[in-house]
Amino acid sequence: MAEAGEITLLLKAYEAGDKAAFDRLVPLVYDELRRMARRHLRRGSRGVTLDTTALVHEAYLKLAGSPGLRLNDRGHLMAVTARAMRQVVVSRARARLARKRGGGEVVVTFEEGQAGTAPAPEWLLDLDRALDRLRELDEPLARVFECRYFAGLSEEETAEAVGISLRTAQRAWLRARAWLRSDLEGGKASPRPG
C-alpha cells in the first residue's frame, strides 16, 4: 500500500484544483482498487462480462470524468470508488438486459464468504433500485452496503471509508442487508431501516 501521507498530499492537491494529481494518485492505489474489483467479481455477475482490470479502468474513467468530484481522504476515495464500481456493474447489467430479455429468478445471498448463485442482470437492477430507496431513507446504511457488497471491503475498511466506528459499520451492514432483503422480497421493508 502506498504511503498514506503521499496519498493525502495528492488528494489535497486535487481538491486545490490540480487535476493531474488524480492521475498521479491512481497508480498509488491501483493494487488496492484491483483487490476491490477482484473481490466484487468473485461474487460473479452472470452475463456481466468484466474482468478485474476492466472494472478498475471503467470505475477510474467514471471518476475522472466526474465534474466537481470531491475526495476528502483515502477512505472517502475507496467509498466513492465502490459506488463507481456499482454503477459500472449495473450499467453493464442494463446493457445486457436491453440486448436480451428473459431469464428466471435467481436466489442470491448477502452473507459473507458464500459464493451464492451469480446474480442475473435483472436481479442486479432490482438491487440497484432497492439500494437507491435505502439511500433516500438512510445514506450511511447504503454507503456501508456499497462498500461491503460492491467493493468487497472488509468491516475495518468499510468503517474507514464511511468514516464510522467498526461497531457502527457492523451494525449498519446487518441493518442494510435485512432492509434490502425485505424490500427485494416484495416491498415489505419498513419505511425506516433498523
Side-chain angles (χ1 to χ4, degrees), residues 6 12 16 35 38 43 67 71 103 108 117 131 135-136 185 190-191:
E6 189 176 0
K12 286 182 181 182
R35 279 191 298 277
R38 192 175 310 113
R43 293 179 190 282
L71 300 168
V108 178
T117 305
L131 197 50
R135 182 176 310 288
E136 289 174 11
E185 287 174 353
S190 69

Side-chain angles (χ1 to χ4, degrees), residues 143-175:
R143 289 178 60 210
V144 165
F145 188 85
E146 279 179 338
C147 288
R148 294 296 312 275
Y149 188 78
F150 285 97
L153 296 182
S154 70
E155 292 175 337
E156 294 81 7
E157 292 167 327
T158 298
E160 179 188 351
V162 179
I164 56 179
S165 72
L166 174 60
R167 186 63 190 127
T168 300
Q170 291 166 334
R171 285 191 303 264
W173 170 240
L174 293 173
R175 288 175 46 215

Side-chain angles (χ1 to χ4, degrees), residues 15 23 34 38 60 104 113 130 132 137 140 152 155 160 165 168 179:
E15 284 295 313
D23 291 332
R34 284 184 52 81
R38 192 175 310 113
Y60 165 79
D132 286 341
L137 298 172
E155 292 175 337
E160 179 188 351
S165 72
T168 300
W179 191 91

Side-chain angles (χ1 to χ4, degrees), residues 82-83 86-87 90 110 123-150 173 176-177 179-181 183-184:
R83 182 174 294 169
R86 167 191 167 202
Q87 293 168 344
V90 168
F110 294 141
W123 188 86
L124 280 173
L125 296 179
D126 290 342
L127 176 60
D128 184 56
R129 286 187 289 269
L131 197 50
D132 286 341
R133 287 188 293 275
L134 177 59
R135 182 176 310 288
E136 289 174 11
L137 298 172
D138 195 321
E139 170 84 16
L141 285 187
R143 289 178 60 210
V144 165
F145 188 85
E146 279 179 338
C147 288
R148 294 296 312 275
Y149 188 78
F150 285 97
W173 170 240
R177 285 184 4 213
W179 191 91
L180 288 165
R181 184 176 292 122
D183 186 75
L184 290 168

